[in-house]
Amino acid sequence: LLGKKPTGTLVLDAVRPGKRLFLFGTGTGLAPWLSVARDPDAYSRFERVIVAHCVREVRELAYRDLFTAEIFDDPLVGDEARAQLTYYPTVTREPFERQGRFTDLIQSGQLFRDLGIAGERFDPEHDRAMLCGSPSMLDETSEVLNSFGLKVSPRMREPGDYLIERAFGEK
């Protein structure tokens, strides 16, 4: 009943090959990363897959257990996820082990320090990203990615360094 090839705007074919894949989602913007994190292609195309989820309150960290434990027992990608997947949750409005918005954590270098990435910056040669969340998050994070030299995928048939959810429509 399921097709063999995923379709939509947030698919791996829409980003160029690289070493690290950052999956940035706010609130319910985590939803697409549930399938990408369970896609064997994600682990064969990238050395590291980072699921970054930013919410206002700790209770909104839906699927935290999935990304910190359950996925490692997945019969299809468990071994790969154990070796290559990093879950990076952050909260903005209450105390938590990691606090702040993506843009602030990126610009301060904290995201890179937390993930052990040398140079504390995105590398346009190796880093790729997918964004899903509110229109303001998409705009702000796109600006930050652009400042590091990453290029957005202009359309599905033309992969870029990063892509954004287009459910809210084009400007």
Side-chain angles (χ1 to χ4, degrees), residues 13 40 55 67 72-73 79 112 121 139 171:
D13 288 343
V55 297
F67 288 112
F72 304 133
D73 294 325
D79 292 338
F112 306 103
R121 58 179 289 111
D139 289 344
K171 291 182 182 179

Side-chain angles (χ1 to χ4, degrees), residues 2-3 9 13 16 22 25 27 39 41 43 45-46 54 63 68 74-75 82 84 91 95 124-126 151 154 170-171:
L2 298 175
T9 59
D13 288 343
R16 296 183 322 112
F22 291 84
D39 185 343
D41 279 350
Y43 302 102
R45 291 179 184 213
F46 298 94
C54 183
Y63 298 99
T68 59
D74 185 288
R82 191 174 296 106
Q84 297 170 252
V91 174
E125 186 176 338
H126 301 292
K151 306 288 185 213
E170 298 292 325
K171 291 182 182 179

Side-chain angles (χ1 to χ4, degrees), residues 46-103:
F46 298 94
E47 294 173 10
R48 190 164 181 197
V49 176
I50 299 145
V51 175
H53 189 205
C54 183
V55 297
R56 293 171 294 202
E57 299 172 352
V58 175
R59 65 183 174 84
E60 296 173 355
L61 287 171
Y63 298 99
R64 186 176 181 191
D65 291 341
L66 169 76
F67 288 112
T68 59
E70 295 167 14
I71 196 165
F72 304 133
D73 294 325
D74 185 288
L76 189 60
V77 298
D79 292 338
E80 292 84 355
R82 191 174 296 106
Q84 297 170 252
L85 179 70
T86 301
Y87 177 60
Y88 189 85
T90 182
V91 174
T92 60
R93 294 190 183 167
E94 66 181 18
F96 185 65
E97 63 195 61
R98 187 173 303 105
Q99 289 186 268
R101 298 170 55 150
F102 294 141
T103 49

Side-chain angles (χ1 to χ4, degrees), residues 144-165:
V144 171
L145 293 174
N146 291 341
S147 75
F148 283 94
L150 276 73
K151 306 288 185 213
V152 69
S153 174
R155 60 189 66 82
M156 290 299 295
R157 289 184 170 82
E158 203 174 319
D161 300 324
Y162 74 95
L163 57 113
I164 61 172
E165 169 57 51

Side-chain angles (χ1 to χ4, degrees), residues 125-136:
E125 186 176 338
H126 301 292
D127 290 325
R128 304 295 171 253
M130 299 168 91
L131 314 176
C132 186
S134 69
S136 61

Side-chain angles (χ1 to χ4, degrees), residues 106-128:
I106 292 167
Q107 291 175 318
S108 71
Q110 189 62 49
L111 177 135
F112 306 103
R113 287 190 295 278
D114 289 345
L115 296 172
I117 297 173
E120 296 183 11
R121 58 179 289 111
F122 288 110
D123 176 352
E125 186 176 338
H126 301 292
D127 290 325
R128 304 295 171 253

